[in-house]
Amino acid sequence: MTQKISLKELGLDIGSIFGSYFLKTENMHYGYWKDQVEIRPENFAAAQEEFSLYLKERIPEGVKTILDVGCGSGELAQLLLKSGYEVDCVSPSPYLSEKVRTLTDNKAKVYETYYENLKTTARYDLVLFSESFQYLLLEKAIFKIKKFLNKEGYLLICDFFKKDVPG
């Protein structure tokens, strides 16, 4: 039987392997480059750690449960778990899903599916999109966000957006 390969999943897997071998980091985020840190390969890991801390600092008080959509290799999920949050992850890549399970010592539940196809009765205090929102089908994503949030829940999106500026 021939198995269909998703280019999206393949791209994620290649990005993870590239980062691991060439940038010496498992984290898949571009990073938060502050204090005039030069954008060079040897600085990526530190910038990625800064990005994870930046996100963690923006989690509202009282949040206990988090759905990490597009969790990459699980670096952020691991940080959040160590900080006392309960974290579930969404990843369409079997390769990355296994990395998340290993990194989090199976403390994060991993939904191995595309976010638009996620089926669960779980509700969360926070739905987090860290450089993953840009890949979703907007109308389906918004509907799912409302479905998965607790009544007083929060949405945190940190991503790349393009805005046309009149000029």
Side-chain angles (χ1 to χ4, degrees), residues 13-14 35 38 64 85 89 111 119 126 133 146 154:
D13 297 349
I14 290 170
D35 300 328
E38 192 174 350
K64 292 180 178 39
Y85 297 101
C89 299
Y111 296 101
K119 293 178 180 156
L126 176 77
F133 196 76
K146 292 189 325 189
Y154 298 91

PDB file of all heavy atoms in Angstrom, residues 13-14 35 38 64 85 89 111 119 126 133 146 154:
ATOM      1  N   ASP A  13       9.252  18.207   9.444  1.00  0.00           N
ATOM      2  CA  ASP A  13      10.268  17.220   9.804  1.00  0.00           C
ATOM      3  C   ASP A  13      11.658  17.686   9.364  1.00  0.00           C
ATOM      4  O   ASP A  13      12.621  17.596  10.132  1.00  0.00           O
ATOM      5  CB  ASP A  13       9.944  15.861   9.165  1.00  0.00           C
ATOM      6  CG  ASP A  13       8.637  15.266   9.673  1.00  0.00           C
ATOM      7  OD1 ASP A  13       8.076  15.787  10.655  1.00  0.00           O
ATOM      8  OD2 ASP A  13       8.174  14.277   9.074  1.00  0.00           O
ATOM      9  N   ILE A  14      11.759  18.198   8.147  1.00  0.00           N
ATOM     10  CA  ILE A  14      13.044  18.684   7.641  1.00  0.00           C
ATOM     11  C   ILE A  14      13.528  19.872   8.475  1.00  0.00           C
ATOM     12  O   ILE A  14      14.706  19.974   8.814  1.00  0.00           O
ATOM     13  CB  ILE A  14      12.946  19.056   6.146  1.00  0.00           C
ATOM     14  CG1 ILE A  14      12.791  17.784   5.317  1.00  0.00           C
ATOM     15  CG2 ILE A  14      14.163  19.847   5.688  1.00  0.00           C
ATOM     16  CD1 ILE A  14      12.447  18.020   3.859  1.00  0.00           C
ATOM     17  N   ASP A  35      17.851  43.031  22.281  1.00  0.00           N
ATOM     18  CA  ASP A  35      19.124  43.650  22.656  1.00  0.00           C
ATOM     19  C   ASP A  35      20.161  43.589  21.545  1.00  0.00           C
ATOM     20  O   ASP A  35      21.343  43.322  21.793  1.00  0.00           O
ATOM     21  CB  ASP A  35      19.680  43.007  23.933  1.00  0.00           C
ATOM     22  CG  ASP A  35      18.731  43.150  25.107  1.00  0.00           C
ATOM     23  OD1 ASP A  35      18.009  44.161  25.174  1.00  0.00           O
ATOM     24  OD2 ASP A  35      18.710  42.242  25.953  1.00  0.00           O
ATOM     25  N   GLU A  38      22.906  39.643  17.225  1.00  0.00           N
ATOM     26  CA  GLU A  38      23.133  39.431  15.804  1.00  0.00           C
ATOM     27  C   GLU A  38      22.470  38.129  15.350  1.00  0.00           C
ATOM     28  O   GLU A  38      22.570  37.099  16.026  1.00  0.00           O
ATOM     29  CB  GLU A  38      24.633  39.376  15.516  1.00  0.00           C
ATOM     30  CG  GLU A  38      24.954  39.443  14.054  1.00  0.00           C
ATOM     31  CD  GLU A  38      26.455  39.534  13.783  1.00  0.00           C
ATOM     32  OE1 GLU A  38      27.228  39.732  14.741  1.00  0.00           O
ATOM     33  OE2 GLU A  38      26.826  39.404  12.621  1.00  0.00           O
ATOM     34  N   LYS A  64      -4.544  27.402  33.806  1.00  0.00           N
ATOM     35  CA  LYS A  64      -3.990  26.131  34.269  1.00  0.00           C
ATOM     36  C   LYS A  64      -3.815  25.142  33.120  1.00  0.00           C
ATOM     37  O   LYS A  64      -2.861  24.379  33.104  1.00  0.00           O
ATOM     38  CB  LYS A  64      -4.895  25.525  35.340  1.00  0.00           C
ATOM     39  CG  LYS A  64      -4.922  26.307  36.643  1.00  0.00           C
ATOM     40  CD  LYS A  64      -5.842  25.638  37.649  1.00  0.00           C
ATOM     41  CE  LYS A  64      -5.908  26.296  38.986  1.00  0.00           C
ATOM     42  NZ  LYS A  64      -5.908  27.701  39.092  1.00  0.00           N
ATOM     43  N   TYR A  85       1.877  24.186  34.336  1.00  0.00           N
ATOM     44  CA  TYR A  85       0.680  24.130  33.501  1.00  0.00           C
ATOM     45  C   TYR A  85       0.421  22.695  33.048  1.00  0.00           C
ATOM     46  O   TYR A  85       1.348  21.890  32.946  1.00  0.00           O
ATOM     47  CB  TYR A  85       0.841  25.012  32.255  1.00  0.00           C
ATOM     48  CG  TYR A  85       1.013  26.478  32.563  1.00  0.00           C
ATOM     49  CD1 TYR A  85       2.270  27.067  32.525  1.00  0.00           C
ATOM     50  CD2 TYR A  85      -0.082  27.274  32.893  1.00  0.00           C
ATOM     51  CE1 TYR A  85       2.441  28.417  32.800  1.00  0.00           C
ATOM     52  CE2 TYR A  85       0.081  28.621  33.181  1.00  0.00           C
ATOM     53  CZ  TYR A  85       1.345  29.182  33.130  1.00  0.00           C
ATOM     54  OH  TYR A  85       1.506  30.514  33.413  1.00  0.00           O
ATOM     55  N   CYS A  89      -0.995  18.988  23.234  1.00  0.00           N
ATOM     56  CA  CYS A  89      -0.353  19.486  22.015  1.00  0.00           C
ATOM     57  C   CYS A  89      -1.055  18.963  20.772  1.00  0.00           C
ATOM     58  O   CYS A  89      -1.611  17.868  20.780  1.00  0.00           O
ATOM     59  CB  CYS A  89       1.101  19.028  21.975  1.00  0.00           C
ATOM     60  SG  CYS A  89       2.106  19.630  23.341  1.00  0.00           S
ATOM     61  N   TYR A 111      -2.170  15.261  20.307  1.00  0.00           N
ATOM     62  CA  TYR A 111      -3.159  14.954  19.275  1.00  0.00           C
ATOM     63  C   TYR A 111      -2.420  14.989  17.950  1.00  0.00           C
ATOM     64  O   TYR A 111      -1.990  16.047  17.503  1.00  0.00           O
ATOM     65  CB  TYR A 111      -4.287  15.983  19.266  1.00  0.00           C
ATOM     66  CG  TYR A 111      -5.113  16.000  20.533  1.00  0.00           C
ATOM     67  CD1 TYR A 111      -4.899  16.975  21.498  1.00  0.00           C
ATOM     68  CD2 TYR A 111      -6.094  15.047  20.745  1.00  0.00           C
ATOM     69  CE1 TYR A 111      -5.663  17.003  22.656  1.00  0.00           C
ATOM     70  CE2 TYR A 111      -6.861  15.064  21.903  1.00  0.00           C
ATOM     71  CZ  TYR A 111      -6.641  16.045  22.855  1.00  0.00           C
ATOM     72  OH  TYR A 111      -7.393  16.068  24.000  1.00  0.00           O
ATOM     73  N   LYS A 119     -10.504  16.465  17.220  1.00  0.00           N
ATOM     74  CA  LYS A 119     -11.752  16.097  17.886  1.00  0.00           C
ATOM     75  C   LYS A 119     -11.427  15.726  19.325  1.00  0.00           C
ATOM     76  O   LYS A 119     -10.675  14.796  19.584  1.00  0.00           O
ATOM     77  CB  LYS A 119     -12.412  14.920  17.170  1.00  0.00           C
ATOM     78  CG  LYS A 119     -12.892  15.287  15.788  1.00  0.00           C
ATOM     79  CD  LYS A 119     -13.505  14.114  15.078  1.00  0.00           C
ATOM     80  CE  LYS A 119     -13.942  14.608  13.709  1.00  0.00           C
ATOM     81  NZ  LYS A 119     -14.038  13.598  12.733  1.00  0.00           N
ATOM     82  N   LEU A 126      -6.470  28.245  27.904  1.00  0.00           N
ATOM     83  CA  LEU A 126      -5.728  29.003  26.899  1.00  0.00           C
ATOM     84  C   LEU A 126      -5.490  28.125  25.673  1.00  0.00           C
ATOM     85  O   LEU A 126      -5.053  26.983  25.805  1.00  0.00           O
ATOM     86  CB  LEU A 126      -4.373  29.441  27.463  1.00  0.00           C
ATOM     87  CG  LEU A 126      -3.435  30.175  26.503  1.00  0.00           C
ATOM     88  CD1 LEU A 126      -3.883  31.622  26.329  1.00  0.00           C
ATOM     89  CD2 LEU A 126      -2.008  30.139  27.026  1.00  0.00           C
ATOM     90  N   PHE A 133      -0.452  29.780  13.517  1.00  0.00           N
ATOM     91  CA  PHE A 133      -1.761  30.275  13.080  1.00  0.00           C
ATOM     92  C   PHE A 133      -1.793  30.569  11.583  1.00  0.00           C
ATOM     93  O   PHE A 133      -2.799  30.381  10.926  1.00  0.00           O
ATOM     94  CB  PHE A 133      -2.138  31.529  13.878  1.00  0.00           C
ATOM     95  CG  PHE A 133      -3.598  31.892  13.775  1.00  0.00           C
ATOM     96  CD1 PHE A 133      -4.547  31.178  14.477  1.00  0.00           C
ATOM     97  CD2 PHE A 133      -4.006  32.939  12.978  1.00  0.00           C
ATOM     98  CE1 PHE A 133      -5.888  31.505  14.387  1.00  0.00           C
ATOM     99  CE2 PHE A 133      -5.342  33.273  12.877  1.00  0.00           C
ATOM    100  CZ  PHE A 133      -6.288  32.554  13.588  1.00  0.00           C
ATOM    101  N   LYS A 146     -13.264  28.641  19.553  1.00  0.00           N
ATOM    102  CA  LYS A 146     -14.419  28.851  20.442  1.00  0.00           C
ATOM    103  C   LYS A 146     -14.869  27.532  21.054  1.00  0.00           C
ATOM    104  O   LYS A 146     -15.284  27.492  22.207  1.00  0.00           O
ATOM    105  CB  LYS A 146     -15.557  29.518  19.674  1.00  0.00           C
ATOM    106  CG  LYS A 146     -15.234  30.938  19.275  1.00  0.00           C
ATOM    107  CD  LYS A 146     -16.356  31.763  18.705  1.00  0.00           C
ATOM    108  CE  LYS A 146     -17.362  31.096  17.860  1.00  0.00           C
ATOM    109  NZ  LYS A 146     -18.288  31.999  17.190  1.00  0.00           N
ATOM    110  N   TYR A 154      -8.727  32.105  27.202  1.00  0.00           N
ATOM    111  CA  TYR A 154      -7.941  33.081  26.454  1.00  0.00           C
ATOM    112  C   TYR A 154      -7.396  32.465  25.176  1.00  0.00           C
ATOM    113  O   TYR A 154      -7.149  31.261  25.102  1.00  0.00           O
ATOM    114  CB  TYR A 154      -6.741  33.553  27.294  1.00  0.00           C
ATOM    115  CG  TYR A 154      -7.114  34.246  28.564  1.00  0.00           C
ATOM    116  CD1 TYR A 154      -7.259  33.532  29.752  1.00  0.00           C
ATOM    117  CD2 TYR A 154      -7.314  35.619  28.589  1.00  0.00           C
ATOM    118  CE1 TYR A 154      -7.594  34.173  30.934  1.00  0.00           C
ATOM    119  CE2 TYR A 154      -7.644  36.269  29.767  1.00  0.00           C
ATOM    120  CZ  TYR A 154      -7.778  35.541  30.928  1.00  0.00           C
ATOM    121  OH  TYR A 154      -8.107  36.176  32.093  1.00  0.00           O
TER     122      TYR A 154
END
